[in-house]
Amino acid sequence: MCREIPGDMQGSGGGVSMRILLIMDPGIPVPPILYGGHERLVSLFAEEYQKLGHEVTLLAGPESHCSGKTVTFGTNDLGRSKQVRFKEARFVWKYLRKNRDNFDLIHNFGRLVYLLPILNSPVKKIMTYGRPVATGGIKIVNSLPNRNLIFTACSDNCVATGNIKGHWETVYNAIDFSQYTLNYKVGTAAPLMFLGRLDRIKGAHTAIDAAKATNNQLVIAGNVSHTEEDQAYFKTVIEPQIDGTQIKYVGPLNDAEKNMQLGQAQALLFPIEWDEPFGMVMIEAMACGTPVIAFRRGSVPEVVENGITGFIVDDAAGLQQKIAEIDTIDRFLCRKTAMERFNAEVIAHNYLQLFNK
């Protein structure tokens, strides 16, 4: 069940070197090939901690790797059974009992239950959430003896879903801006873009309506989940409107394709119908200089700087109005502003400073 892969343990950077363990659930490898938001973040921070001179160990699913040491466990299957998940938790418990004194910081992006054996040990622990928090586990953990445990979530909005007990901090998500190319200028005929999982709550149908109402081309990219409800939404609402000319669907994108498609777009449309905890695609677009027009839900007011990196709107009419004003956004300033807030180096530093507060 476990495979250990040696890696280059030499890093660079100033300060005291720490031994850091990053934990992620199996199901999707770290880094992911296509879909996998948290898996992408774990990979990013593993590499960034290593660059800063720390010794990094990654504990994650099969086919995972990083520049430090990687220990793999479990099964890459998002539909795996509760029995398999329990076996995975037992593996992590055994690993932590044996190795907890070998680390200065344990940064867990996986299940909270993984931390049970070390809750009251002196090692510093960060439990990071990227989706709405189930508070039952938080109550249980905080009813037990614990120390040196900080909970983080990717926005104030997300923190508010779990901040019932314990020490909570907001630490935003990040990307590596060096992997995205700034496109200083696009033409008036450049397409709009929708990028995200094609569920109704992500709002692809609203993006299509806006493109048609403003006579713009729209490129839709993203995966269709396998649930019956989402399949029906795509087949009955989205697919009939894809004509290959004004409304194009290009499927899931790898990193190179994402960089190309986002960079050549006038704007990214983000008309969400739920309280999105963060929305990585927004800063991926900004990294290309592409402004975001988004509904005022969830983390959007924290991520989008109105009039600088895009526009925040309240409804479909507002979305259409701001499409007409998108050329007032300076694409260079859009990227620069977002990079100052969300680049991986900035956010990694924010995590490592938590225990100095």
Side-chain angles (χ1 to χ4, degrees):
M1 190 172 182
C2 164
R3 188 162 67 95
E4 187 168 309
I5 307 163
D8 177 14
M9 299 301 290
Q10 298 300 314
S12 61
V16 177
S17 176
M18 292 197 299
R19 301 161 300 170
I20 301 176
L21 174 67
L22 281 157
I23 307 175
M24 184 60 206
D25 293 325
I28 297 173
V30 175
I33 299 172
L34 293 172
Y35 173 77
H38 244 198
E39 291 78 9
R40 193 175 300 279
L41 278 174
V42 172
S43 176
L44 193 64
F45 291 125
E47 300 305 320
E48 198 59 45
Y49 292 157
Q50 187 83 3
K51 287 179 192 174
L52 292 172
H54 304 297
E55 296 183 1
V56 175
T57 300
L58 171 65
L59 183 59
E63 301 174 36
S64 298
H65 60 88
C66 73
S67 297
K69 183 171 69 177
T70 305
V71 178
T72 62
F73 73 107
T75 305
N76 280 339
D77 176 9
L78 293 177
R80 61 201 189 282
S81 67
K82 289 183 179 179
Q83 183 181 18
V84 170
R85 291 172 187 264
F86 179 66
K87 288 180 179 179
E88 292 169 353
R90 286 177 59 190
F91 174 84
V92 177
W93 294 340
K94 183 178 179 181
Y95 181 87
L96 289 178
R97 287 192 191 101
K98 181 180 178 182
N99 295 284
R100 60 186 166 193
D101 294 335
N102 296 331
F103 299 107
D104 304 298
L105 171 65
I106 295 175
H107 192 171
N108 183 24
F109 285 80
R111 298 165 63 193
L112 176 59
V113 72
Y114 291 161
L115 298 180
L116 281 179
I118 58 167
L119 282 177
N120 204 35
S121 69
V123 62
K124 295 175 182 178
K125 297 167 284 288
I126 300 173
M127 177 67 220
T128 292
Y129 289 93
R131 57 180 63 88
V133 181
T135 57
I138 304 296
K139 291 177 181 178
I140 292 171
V141 162
N142 281 289
S143 70
L144 300 172
N146 70 82
R147 52 181 165 159
N148 288 337
L149 172 62
I150 294 178
F151 298 96
T152 71
C154 55
S155 62
D156 292 342
N157 181 269
C158 192
V159 164
T161 68
N163 189 10
I164 55 168
K165 273 198 167 227
H167 178 176
W168 284 83
E169 298 279 354
T170 296
V171 182
Y172 292 124
N173 284 344
I175 60 172
D176 180 356
F177 274 69
S178 69
Q179 300 301 307
Y180 294 84
T181 305
L182 170 63
N183 190 352
Y184 289 90
K185 189 174 180 61
V186 297
T188 55
L192 303 168
M193 187 163 187
F194 174 92
L195 174 58
R197 195 173 63 250
L198 293 173
D199 305 348
R200 179 175 288 277
I201 60 172
K202 297 287 190 175
H205 54 285
T206 305
I208 291 173
D209 291 344
K212 289 181 175 180
T214 57
N215 197 29
N216 277 281
Q217 186 185 78
L218 175 69
V219 175
I220 300 173
N223 64 307
V224 184
S225 75
H226 297 297
T227 68
E228 184 176 336
E229 180 182 4
D230 292 334
Q231 288 283 329
Y233 166 71
F234 181 74
K235 289 291 184 183
T236 61
V237 179
I238 301 302
E239 195 170 52
Q241 302 191 74
I242 298 170
D243 58 15
T245 303
Q246 184 176 18
I247 311 299
K248 296 182 178 181
Y249 175 54
V250 295
L253 303 180
N254 61 30
D255 290 345
E257 293 166 336
K258 190 186 300 183
N259 183 47
M260 179 191 71
Q261 294 284 0
L262 285 170
Q264 66 186 14
Q266 287 187 63
L268 174 77
L269 304 186
F270 198 71
I272 50 172
E273 297 182 2
W274 77 304
D275 290 332
E276 183 87 44
F278 187 80
M280 293 281 287
V281 66
M282 290 192 285
I283 56 173
E284 290 171 337
M286 294 170 190
C288 298
T290 301
V292 177
I293 310 176
F295 280 4
R296 193 187 308 273
R297 293 287 303 265
S299 65
V300 165
E302 299 176 60
V303 177
V304 178
E305 295 196 42
N306 204 37
I308 298 174
T309 59
F311 297 110
I312 303 170
V313 300
D314 294 304
D315 52 28
L319 191 73
Q320 294 171 24
Q321 177 188 342
K322 292 304 181 184
I323 288 172
E325 299 175 22
I326 203 63
D327 61 355
T328 63
I329 299 290
D330 182 324
R331 292 175 70 99
F332 174 82
L333 184 59
C334 175
R335 174 185 164 97
K336 179 178 181 291
T337 302
M339 184 164 62
E340 289 170 352
R341 299 182 62 205
F342 304 118
N343 197 24
E345 184 177 1
V346 173
I347 303 302
H349 177 79
N350 290 346
Y351 272 122
L352 297 179
Q353 288 297 310
L354 284 178
F355 288 92
N356 292 333
K357 287 192 173 184

